[in-house]
Structures are given as C-alpha cells and as structure tokens.
C-alpha cells in the first residue's frame, strides 16, 4: 500500500480535518510518520495570519528539493490557505501537484489520480451542506487519551479581520446523532477526553426526529455518555454564550471548567470596527455570570494588537479589560491584514508595525503577570489531573492537565498514561503548576 504523510498547521479544527482526510484516502494510502517513505505528502494549512502563509511557502520550497530527488512523489495543499489563494499558489509553487479546499476532501482520490498523469489540479468549491458526518476519522497522530470531534463547519459572523467565512464557508452543523455515535466510539476505544470543535460552537443547532438540539444540550448528551470522560469545547463567541450553556458546564463534573472566550479588543470602538456585535460591557457581564455560576472556571481569550485605527486609548482599554477579567491564558497576535477579509476593503492598515509590536509586547507582559497570579492562587490546592505523558524536561516526571486546562508536572509514581490522579500543587511558573500525587 502507498504511504501518506500529512503535516498539519494551525488550529485544532485542522487536526480534525486531517483525520478525515486520512479516512477518505484509507483504501489506497496508509499513514506514515516518516516523510521520507511517503508517496503522497499533504500539507493542511491555516490562513489566519500572514506569518502562517509565509511558513507554508518556505515549507513548500523545502519539499520541492525533496521532490527533485523523488520524481514520483506527489505534494498537495489542503485547508484555508488552499481555499484563499488557489490557482495563484498552484502556478507559483512548482512542488505542488494538487489543491483541495476544506469542503473538497471527498474529491481527493480523483485529484490525486489526475495529478498522477501530470495534470496540476484543484477543487476549492465551498459547500452549504458538507459536514463529513458520515466519515469516521482515523486518529493517526494521537496519544490515545485525547481526541477531537468537529461538530460544525464554517462561520456566519464575518468579523472584519477574519477570512474564515471565505475559506471555510457558511455555518452548518452536524447531526447530533453522528456526534454522539463518534463520541461513544472514542469512549469504547479508551479515550479519556473529548474536545468538541467549531468556529463558534455556541451556534450549534441540529433538528432530528422533532428534537431541537442546541450546543448546551449537545454538551450534556456527550457528558452523560460516561462520567469518567472529560468533555471540552472550542471555541465560544461571546455574543452567543448562554446561561443555559454555563449552567450545563457547572452541572456536570466531567464538563471541564475552562472557557475560551475570545474578546479580541477591550474598546467598544474597536469591537464595533471588528464587527464583533457585542460591547465591552456585555462581555464583562458574561464573564461575571461565568464566575458566579462556575466559581472555579478558568477563562482564556484571544487578543489582537494594532487593529485598524486603534488608538493608544483603545489599547489601554484592552489592558484594563485583561486586568478586570484576570485571564488564565491568552493567544495574542499583531493584526495581520488578509486581502479577502472585510477590513482590507473597508479600513486602512494604519498602525505602524513598531507600534503593533510594542502594544503586543505590553499585552504579553501583562498576560504573563496574570497567568502567574492565577497559578499562584492554585498553590496548596489539589486537582484531579489526567496523565497525558512524560515531561519533556525530566524523565522522572509526568505531565497532565486539570479541568481548568492548566498543565501540571509531578513525579512519576503509581500511575500510567490515561489515569486520573490527585495532584497537590506546591509551586508554579507562569505556564506550569508543579506538585505531587496525593492519595
């Protein structure tokens, strides 16, 4: 059987997509972890930031050198970048044989066949219906403990900085029955943690046999499959996070007490310009509700520095919001203009790069303080931790995460990968809690 090597860049949804691709090609290709034995290399890409695309361009140049030594090697590009630049990329990158957008993975066998006879080919058609809900993903690059389930595809929000509605299409939800079936299969295979994925999981909605299933109800259904399997999700849009969902997280012990709630900016002017359709005040009210209903909940976020027209006052409002919320973690970026996003058409990218850089540094520095403060508050507490693997820094330690998605490192004792253990926190750094197993 031929060998397939997949490199995945970007978000967790791309990881889930790569598992779908592996399943679609399983009749003819076996997944390999050695790129040198591959007959087909697929690069699953992200297009959120320019840096990500430049990284892919560099990688394609490296693969082009490999292809010269192995003429029958085929190379394909998948995902958001494939959708965004399509024919231009196929013409500019000599190493590429084929391109498939996020909704075109079923056409991969045909694309590969055409490429085999020397015809560069692509399919980037977006769909209003494709969810791949009848495909059982192949979990080829997993620790056997944690797994992802895509519950929906696309996005309807059209934030002005974002390309996702243009690269992944409009929002559509999978059947809840297929999601429950996939989750049960993972539980039967011994997985201990399931993450439900969507660009905006709060918008999930499925209607089957007269039953309307929203995201809160779906989360409950998955949580009820086994009290010994944790359930996480990503990502929530602040405009849609409901009291019902917050109550569901609070109700079930195996619903992880961690919510990733991207704010992007702390200024109402910036939020409006980003088309986030909520205000600073509304966001903070949602945070207060989460903290009231789930007192031990950790909250993480995304923040963009230097969006179009951002003043120093706007930036200071972002910093003040960060302090008020007290995030446990954050993904922080400089604004990167994407030509197919609305912001590129409506606004001038007018913040000098050095100003963006300085503001990002201030955001990062503040978040490091907040993360350290959050971790210090956990010293002396005992958490249930899912053992995920060996520590990279010490062969004598394991690592795992608690319900709040914080990494804990602790000495190896009478436990194994996939076990739940009680760990008492004794010290911490900005990124890690350190402790010992207690009986």
């Amino acid at each position: 059987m031929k060998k397939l090597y997949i490199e995945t860049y970007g978000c967790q949804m791309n990881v889930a997509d790569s598992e779908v691709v592996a399943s679609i090609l399983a009749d003819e290709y076996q997944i390999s972890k050695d790129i040198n034995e591959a007959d087909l290399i697929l690069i699953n890409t992200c297009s959120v930031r320019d840096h990500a695309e430049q990284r892919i361009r560099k990688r394609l140049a490296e693969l082009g050198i490999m292809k010269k030594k192995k003429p029958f090697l085929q190379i394909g590009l998948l995902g958001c970048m494939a959708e965004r630049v399509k024919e231009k990329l196929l013409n500019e990158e000599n190493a590429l044989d084929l391109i498939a957008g996020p909704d075109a993975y079923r056409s991969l066998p045909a694309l590969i066949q055409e490429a085999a006879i020397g015809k560069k080919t692509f399919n980037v058609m977006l769909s209003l219906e494709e969810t791949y809900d009848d495909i059982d993903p192949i979990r080829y690059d997993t620790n056997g403990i944690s797994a992802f389930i895509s519950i929906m595809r696309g996005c309807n929000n059209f934030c002005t900085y974002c390309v996702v509605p243009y690269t992944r299409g409009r929002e559509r939800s999978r059947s809840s029955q297929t999601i429950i079936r996939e989750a049960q299969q993972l539980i039967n295979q011994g997985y201990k943690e399931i993450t439900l994925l969507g660009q905006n999981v709060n918008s999930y909605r499925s209607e089957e046999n007269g039953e309307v299933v929203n995201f809160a109800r779906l989360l409950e259904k998955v949580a009820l499959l086994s009290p010994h399997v944790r359930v996480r999700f990503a990502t929530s849009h602040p405009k849609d996070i409901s009291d019902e969902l917050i109550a569901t997280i609070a109700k079930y012990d195996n619903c992880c007490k961690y919510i990733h709630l991207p704010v992007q900016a702390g200024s109402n002017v910036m939020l409006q310009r980003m088309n986030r359709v909520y205000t600073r005040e509304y966001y903070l009210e949602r945070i207060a509700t989460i903290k009231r209903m789930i007192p031990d909940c950790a909250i993480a976020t995304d923040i963009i520095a230097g969006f179009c027209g951002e003043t120093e006052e706007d930036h200071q409002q972002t910093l003040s919001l960060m302090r008020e919320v007290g995030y446990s973690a954050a993904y922080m970026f400089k604004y990167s203009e994407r030509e197919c996003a609305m912001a590129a058409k409506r606004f001038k990218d007018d913040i000098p790069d050095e100003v963006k850089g300085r503001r990002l540094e201030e955001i990062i520095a503040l978040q490091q303080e907040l993360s350290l403060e959050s971790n210090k508050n956990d010293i002396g507490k005992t958490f249930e931790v899912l053992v995920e693997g060996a520590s990279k820094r010490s062969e004598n330690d394991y690592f795992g995460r608690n319900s709040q998605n914080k990494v804990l490192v602790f000495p190896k004792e009478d436990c194994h990968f996939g076990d739940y253990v009680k760990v008492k926190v004794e010290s911490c750094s900005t990124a890690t809690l350190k402790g010992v197993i207690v009986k």
Side-chain angles (χ1 to χ4, degrees), residues 39-41 60 67 70-77 89-90 93-100 111-112 114-116 118-122:
D39 300 290
L40 171 64
I41 299 173
L60 287 172
K67 191 169 183 177
K70 193 175 181 180
F72 295 104
L73 174 66
Q74 289 184 296
I75 298 174
L77 198 75
L89 190 64
L90 200 60
E93 298 292 345
N94 294 329
L96 275 179
D97 297 295
L98 61 101
I99 286 177
L111 294 176
I112 292 166
E114 288 188 48
K119 181 181 178 182
K120 288 198 171 192
T121 185
F122 67 92

Side-chain angles (χ1 to χ4, degrees), residues 242-260:
S242 65
D243 287 1
E244 181 188 9
L245 174 57
I246 298 168
T248 300
I249 298 168
K251 181 178 180 180
Y252 295 98
D253 289 341
N254 61 329
C255 284
C256 289
K257 306 305 184 268
Y258 169 83
I259 298 176
H260 182 231

Side-chain angles (χ1 to χ4, degrees), residues 11-13 15-16 19 139 145-152 174 179 182-183 186-187 191-198 201 215 218-219 222 229-236 254 256 258 260 386 388 401 403 405:
C11 63
Q12 295 170 333
M13 282 178 279
V15 174
E19 295 175 341
R139 317 285 174 176
I145 298 167
S146 302
F148 303 121
I149 298 179
S150 289
I151 67 169
M152 59 195 302
R174 280 180 61 181
I179 295 167
E182 187 174 339
L186 291 170
I187 292 169
Y191 283 86
K192 296 295 185 69
E193 184 176 86
I194 294 170
T195 302
L196 306 177
L197 299 177
V201 292
F215 182 61
L218 178 69
L219 185 67
V222 176
V229 175
R230 285 179 173 175
V231 186
R232 300 186 184 273
F233 61 88
T235 294
S236 286
N254 61 329
C256 289
Y258 169 83
H260 182 231
L386 177 59
E388 297 184 38
R401 285 176 299 154
S403 178
N405 206 38

Side-chain angles (χ1 to χ4, degrees), residues 73-249:
L73 174 66
Q74 289 184 296
I75 298 174
L77 198 75
L78 313 177
C80 293
M81 184 177 174
E83 180 68 39
R84 199 180 72 80
V85 290
K86 10 191 181 196
E87 295 157 279
K88 178 183 176 183
L89 190 64
L90 200 60
N91 292 330
E92 291 177 353
E93 298 292 345
N94 294 329
L96 275 179
D97 297 295
L98 61 101
I99 286 177
D103 291 346
Y105 297 147
R106 293 182 194 269
S107 69
L108 274 170
L111 294 176
I112 292 166
Q113 193 171 22
E114 288 188 48
I117 59 174
K119 181 181 178 182
K120 288 198 171 192
T121 185
F122 67 92
N123 182 354
V124 292
M125 292 292 292
L126 291 174
S127 169
L128 293 175
E129 299 176 351
E130 181 63 84
T131 61
Y132 302 111
D133 62 358
D134 60 328
I135 294 174
D136 292 328
I138 293 178
R139 317 285 174 176
Y140 66 89
D141 190 21
T142 176
N143 58 9
I145 298 167
S146 302
F148 303 121
I149 298 179
S150 289
I151 67 169
M152 59 195 302
R153 301 182 73 82
C155 184
N156 289 346
N157 288 317
F158 290 93
C159 301
T160 58
Y161 54 80
C162 185
V163 299
V164 168
Y166 311 100
T167 60
R168 286 187 170 267
R170 302 302 294 271
E171 187 177 279
R172 63 270 189 204
S173 298
R174 280 180 61 181
S175 154
S176 64
Q177 294 176 359
T178 65
I179 295 167
I180 298 302
R181 176 179 58 80
E182 187 174 339
Q184 187 63 64
Q185 288 175 347
L186 291 170
I187 292 169
N188 295 343
Q189 292 166 19
Y191 283 86
K192 296 295 185 69
E193 184 176 86
I194 294 170
T195 302
L196 306 177
L197 299 177
Q199 198 66 34
N200 176 19
V201 292
N202 302 8
S203 295
Y204 176 87
R205 187 181 188 278
S206 174
E207 186 171 352
E208 302 152 53
N209 302 321
E211 181 189 15
V212 175
V213 180
N214 62 12
F215 182 61
R217 181 66 180 129
L218 178 69
L219 185 67
E220 181 177 53
K221 284 175 176 284
V222 176
L224 285 170
L225 292 176
S226 171
H228 306 297
V229 175
R230 285 179 173 175
V231 186
R232 300 186 184 273
F233 61 88
T235 294
S236 286
H237 193 294
K239 72 179 177 63
D240 296 320
I241 190 163
S242 65
D243 287 1
E244 181 188 9
L245 174 57
I246 298 168
T248 300
I249 298 168

Side-chain angles (χ1 to χ4, degrees), residues 176-385:
S176 64
Q177 294 176 359
T178 65
I179 295 167
I180 298 302
R181 176 179 58 80
E182 187 174 339
Q184 187 63 64
Q185 288 175 347
L186 291 170
I187 292 169
N188 295 343
Q189 292 166 19
Y191 283 86
K192 296 295 185 69
E193 184 176 86
I194 294 170
T195 302
L196 306 177
L197 299 177
Q199 198 66 34
N200 176 19
V201 292
N202 302 8
S203 295
Y204 176 87
R205 187 181 188 278
S206 174
E207 186 171 352
E208 302 152 53
N209 302 321
E211 181 189 15
V212 175
V213 180
N214 62 12
F215 182 61
R217 181 66 180 129
L218 178 69
L219 185 67
E220 181 177 53
K221 284 175 176 284
V222 176
L224 285 170
L225 292 176
S226 171
H228 306 297
V229 175
R230 285 179 173 175
V231 186
R232 300 186 184 273
F233 61 88
T235 294
S236 286
H237 193 294
K239 72 179 177 63
D240 296 320
I241 190 163
S242 65
D243 287 1
E244 181 188 9
L245 174 57
I246 298 168
T248 300
I249 298 168
K251 181 178 180 180
Y252 295 98
D253 289 341
N254 61 329
C255 284
C256 289
K257 306 305 184 268
Y258 169 83
I259 298 176
H260 182 231
L261 199 63
V263 67
Q264 307 299 0
S267 153
N268 283 335
V269 173
M270 287 296 101
L271 291 172
Q272 183 177 19
R273 190 167 295 172
M274 291 175 172
N275 194 36
R276 292 293 286 174
V277 297
Y278 56 81
T279 63
R280 173 192 177 99
E281 292 74 21
Y282 174 85
Y283 183 91
L284 290 173
E285 183 278 325
R286 290 289 80 195
I287 294 293
T289 299
I290 292 169
K291 290 182 176 182
R292 183 180 71 253
M293 297 177 71
I294 318 173
D296 59 342
C297 189
I299 301 169
T301 197
D302 295 347
I303 298 174
I304 297 173
F307 187 64
C308 309
E310 183 184 68
T311 65
E312 193 62 31
E313 173 58 26
D314 294 325
H315 170 60
Q316 291 300 322
Q317 287 190 45
T318 295
L319 296 177
S320 71
L321 183 141
M322 291 173 65
R323 294 187 187 96
E324 186 165 349
V325 175
Y327 294 112
S328 63
Y331 297 95
M332 302 156 284
F333 313 98
K334 288 192 294 186
Y335 172 63
S336 174
E337 184 176 81
R338 322 307 290 132
E339 61 263 31
C340 64
M342 282 192 287
K345 302 176 178 66
R346 293 183 180 180
F347 310 122
K348 183 179 179 181
D349 184 10
D350 56 355
I351 308 302
D353 192 64
E354 60 270 21
V355 176
K356 289 182 184 179
R358 189 260 302 167
R359 290 177 182 172
L360 178 61
E361 288 176 1
E362 292 178 4
I363 289 169
I364 291 172
L366 175 56
Q367 185 54 50
Q368 287 179 329
E369 292 178 20
L370 296 174
S371 295
L372 183 59
E373 180 180 351
S374 175
N375 285 350
K376 283 182 176 179
N377 289 336
D378 288 335
I379 294 176
K381 296 179 182 177
T382 298
F383 295 100
E384 184 176 69
V385 176

Side-chain angles (χ1 to χ4, degrees), residues 385-399:
V385 176
L386 177 59
V387 183
E388 297 184 38
S391 170
K392 294 180 180 179
R393 295 193 174 185
S394 171
E395 61 181 16
N396 298 318
D397 293 336
Y398 281 141
F399 82 92

